[in-house]
């Protein structure tokens, strides 16, 4: 075997993470730059893989290499493994490429046995310390290697403390500790039918085995799945000579970050404990002190630590999370890694580091995860209150934010309650466009059904409103105005709270905090704008949403869904009149009533957007969505319209479809009722002409036709648009520029994009429908089974959230290629939900789209994601 499986720390460096694991590579790097690290060596990840290839046996040659290294370690430390006079003790720690909670972490004091403990007591002149170390070792080894439940050791420890009326571990004397050790050893004998292993080399190999085994324990496997860490990476094992923080009053141990991980403030942030060993700081038995207080105990050590911490940060050019131990006044570093941080800290630290000259702007952009920004764009719960809250159910995190309010089961009730000055949560089986006013008024929305692209989810994200969707655990009884979950009952008016980031539902009200966008946030965004080539537009249907999006940096509207305008109280009667009309004249009369409203809508949007481009989509949903479905509601509407109930019921029944998503919707509506689109085009062109005249705004509307599958559909509708626009312009004796384009959201359109491009000046990929139709997964029903698909690893991510690059993405590439062939300057964008997903945005950058369009609250995320895509693909 000529491959090397063991590396001394001084043989490696920080680039060797895949071989030495993160911890091993960083220990090696620290040794390389001359920092005080206790000597040791790393058994590589390749040894771990070899272990699995050899049916969970450490190969004899690897064992030999480990023992040779151990001999070398003895030479370097002047101590001997298993020697009672001067014993070498080591720590054994796992270390994979990515740090992974759930794997075996640490065994300290390995090498102690009944003899060496006595030697150690003599050598240090501190019997209590030696026996305390042995007691800890048996406990840790028993737990992680021998797999004896931890609580059994803790019982023994507690019993000894109780019997002797002792509160703190530090009050245990050597005699108490010897009793505990005796009882621990009996426990091991009982549980394993063997004595506690006394041979240090045997202890070591057992520990290495345990680390390798922990790579595949269930917790580690789940964690890897969650974070896309491949199983073939394996873990390394670090074996390092011990230093002791529990040697007395000039010893201690601690953990510190080079900057504050919550705020990013450039100031060492950390904790330590005097006279303690590593796990005491984390275990919470004693309350650690803040790192500044170390100055009072040992000013020189404190100064040295600060110097080394700064040195490490400058060396890694990133915030470090450092573990240290002080042994008899001497400082040692045991680990360093890039510190985990909040979004605020990530932004502040990245911007500061550019100012300090440590990193460049591109690196700063790569330091902030786009999705992390979400934390900063919505209200959040106060942390302390959240920790104490009672969680009652788990749904999908459909739209981020935190909301608290009283439960109401209909949109009208929400509106009424809000008018009374209450805060309300709309709870529905699922929402429909009729609920829009309630959704606007509510603090948050909870639905029992529906997935991440259900109506509730899409609309809530668009409004930046907190929403938990598809929460199947709750059972809603709308009639009695209650919902039940487990054995709890929530009545109308009861308080609940929603965490839209986690999809969690809580009982009662939890106080929230408003987001603060710091100055550094906008600095980072400006850097993103300098670098990105993708433009960022927004999906907005109202002037209010449009203004929010502009505030967040949107450069245009990529999708204005006109149907949302039809639901407002003062329009819906005319919309319904139009739908039930039996003749073209009746229909025209209703449409004429709608025209002024539509015109005002577009004027509002044009004014909010200035001269930024605005894509307006003509009517898309099936008409039945605008009609009521319950008998009482239909009766009420019949009365309102002056119609016979039976006639109206007939119309409602006629409009019912088996699969409305594949039914009479989109451009198909205009093929049968051209006058609907004609009215909308009229309104668009009139609005553009009027803002030109009155506000001197030159707008160039982009008129978009949905659901095109065949070029002839588009040819017919295009003619209608041109004729209508011409007619309006003649009437106004003025002209405007406008464009005609289509959504590409039906697979056939993608596959025949060359023919379609003959009639379209732009394409906008509607990847919600395109995903639905490519997979033949109903957007409204897929929520029921996608969870199972993810569990069975058919999908890594819900394809309605992250673009399926292989299938749906392939159709996009085909459409782009064909579209450009027919029209070289065709404008290309995306307006499906994927336009706000960072990984999908990267794909859009690569395939050469001009812009992505996303909900207003995703705009900053998209700006950053687009910048990172540019950096990555440079
Ligand atoms: C789409 O299908 O991707 C799209 C943007 O349109 P809608 O979600 O309104 O169907
Ligand atoms: Mg669509």
């Amino acid at each position: 075997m000529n491959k090397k499986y063991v590396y001394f720390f001084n043989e490696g460096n920080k680039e060797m993470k895949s071989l030495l694991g993160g911890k091993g590579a960083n220990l090696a790097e620290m040794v390389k730059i001359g920092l005080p690290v206790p000597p040791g060596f790393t058994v590589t990840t390749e040894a771990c893989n070899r272990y699995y290839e050899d049916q969970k046996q450490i190969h004899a040659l690897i064992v030999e290499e480990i023992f040779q290294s151990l001999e070398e370690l003895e030479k370097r430390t002047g101590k001997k493994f298993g020697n009672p006079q001067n014993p070498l003790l080591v720590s054994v720690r796992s270390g994979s490429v990515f740090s992974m909670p759930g794997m075996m972490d640490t065994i300290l004091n390995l090498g102690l046995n009944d003899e060496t403990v006595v030697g150690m007591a003599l050598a240090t002149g501190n019997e209590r310390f030696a026996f305390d170390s042995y007691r800890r070792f048996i406990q840790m080894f028993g737990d992680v290697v021998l797999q004896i439940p931890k609580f059994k050791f803790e019982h023994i420890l507690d019993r000894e403390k109780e019997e002797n009326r002792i509160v703190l571990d530090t009050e245990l004397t050597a005699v108490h500790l010897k009793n505990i050790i005796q009882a621990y050893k009996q426990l091991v004998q009982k549980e394993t039918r063997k004595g506690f292993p006394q041979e240090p080399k045997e202890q070591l190999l057992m520990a290495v085995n345990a680390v390798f085994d922990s790579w595949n324990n269930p917790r580690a496997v789940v964690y890897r799945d969650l974070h896309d860490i491949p199983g073939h990476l394996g873990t390394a094992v670090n074996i390092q000579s011990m230093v002791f923080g529990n040697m007395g009053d000039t010893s201690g141990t601690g953990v510190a970050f080079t900057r504050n991980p919550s705020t990013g403030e450039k100031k060492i942030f950390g904790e330590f404990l005097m006279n303690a060993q590593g796990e005491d700081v984390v275990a919470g038995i004693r309350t650690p002190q803040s790192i500044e207080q170390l100055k009072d105990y040992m000013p020189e050590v404190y100064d040295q630590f600060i110097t080394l911490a700064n040195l490490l940060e400058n060396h890694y050019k990133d915030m470090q999370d450092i573990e240290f131990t002080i042994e008899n006044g001497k400082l040692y570093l045991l680990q360093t890694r890039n510190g985990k941080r909040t979004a605020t800290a990530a932004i502040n630290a990245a911007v500061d580091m550019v100012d300090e000259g440590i990193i460049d702007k591109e690196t700063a952009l790569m330091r902030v995860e786009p999705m992390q920004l979400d934390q900063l764009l919505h209200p959040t719960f106060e942390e302390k209150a959240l920790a104490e809250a009672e969680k009652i159910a788990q749904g999908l995190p459909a739209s981020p934010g935190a909301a608290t309010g009283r439960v109401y089961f209909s949109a009208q009730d929400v509106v009424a309650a809000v008018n009374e000055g209450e805060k309300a949560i709309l709870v529905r089986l699922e929402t429909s466009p009729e609920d829009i006013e309630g959704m606007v008024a509510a603090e948050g929305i909870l639905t029992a059904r529906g997935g991440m692209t259900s109506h509730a989810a899409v609309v809530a994200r668009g409004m930046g409103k907190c929403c938990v969707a598809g929460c199947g655990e709750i059972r809603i009884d709308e009639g009695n105005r209650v919902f039940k979950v487990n054995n709890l009952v929530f009545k109308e008016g009861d308080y609940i709270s929603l965490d839209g980031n986690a999809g969690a539902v809580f009982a009662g009200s939890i106080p929230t905090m408003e987001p603060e966008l710091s100055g550094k946030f906008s600095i980072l965004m400006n850097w993103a704008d300098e670098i990105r080539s993708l433009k960022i537009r927004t999906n907005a249907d109202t002037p209010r949403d449009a203004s929010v999006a502009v505030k967040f940096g949107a450069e245009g509207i990529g999708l204005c869904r006109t149907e949302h305008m039809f639901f407002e109280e003062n329009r819906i009667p005319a919309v319904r009149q139009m739908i039930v009309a039996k003749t073209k004249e009746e229909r025209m009369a209703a449409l004429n009533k709608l025209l002024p409203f539509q015109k005002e809508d577009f004027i509002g949007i044009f004014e909010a957007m200035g001269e930024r481009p605005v894509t307006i989509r003509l009517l898309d949903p099936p008409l039945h969505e605008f009609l009521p479905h319950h008998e009482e509601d239909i009766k009420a509407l019949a009365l309102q319209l002056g119609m016979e109930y039976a006639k109206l019921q007939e119309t409602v029944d006629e409009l019912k479809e088996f699969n409305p998503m594949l039914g009479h919707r989109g451009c198909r509506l205009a093929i049968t009722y051209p006058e609907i689109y004609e009215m909308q085009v009229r309104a668009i062109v009139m609005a553009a002409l009027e803002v030109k005249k009155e506000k001197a705004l030159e707008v160039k509307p982009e008129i978009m036709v949905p659901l095109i599958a065949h070029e002839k559909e588009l040819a017919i509708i295009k003619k209608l648009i041109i004729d209508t626009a011409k007619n309006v312009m003649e009437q106004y004796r003025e002209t405007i520029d406008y464009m005609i384009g289509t959504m590409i959201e039906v697979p056939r359109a993608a596959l025949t994009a060359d023919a379609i491009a003959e009639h379209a000046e732009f394409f906008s990929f509607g990847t919600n429908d395109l995903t639905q139709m490519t997979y033949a997964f109903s957007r409204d029903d897929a929520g029921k089974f996608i969870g199972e698909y993810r569990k069975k690893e058919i999908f890594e991510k819900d394809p309605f959230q992250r673009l399926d690059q292989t299938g749906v993405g392939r159709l996009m590439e085909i459409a782009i290629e064909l579209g450009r062939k027919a029209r070289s300057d065709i404008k290309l964008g995306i307006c499906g939900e994927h336009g706000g997903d960072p990984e999908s945005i990267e794909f859009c950058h690569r395939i050469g789209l001009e812009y992505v369009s996303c909900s207003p609250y995703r705009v900053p995320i998209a700006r950053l994601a687009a910048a990172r895509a540019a950096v990555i693909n440079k």
Side-chain angles (χ1 to χ4, degrees), residues 617 620 665 743 745 769 779:
R617 180 177 75 185
D620 184 48
R665 58 171 284 220
M743 299 194 67
E745 53 183 344
D769 273 308
R779 283 160 74 170

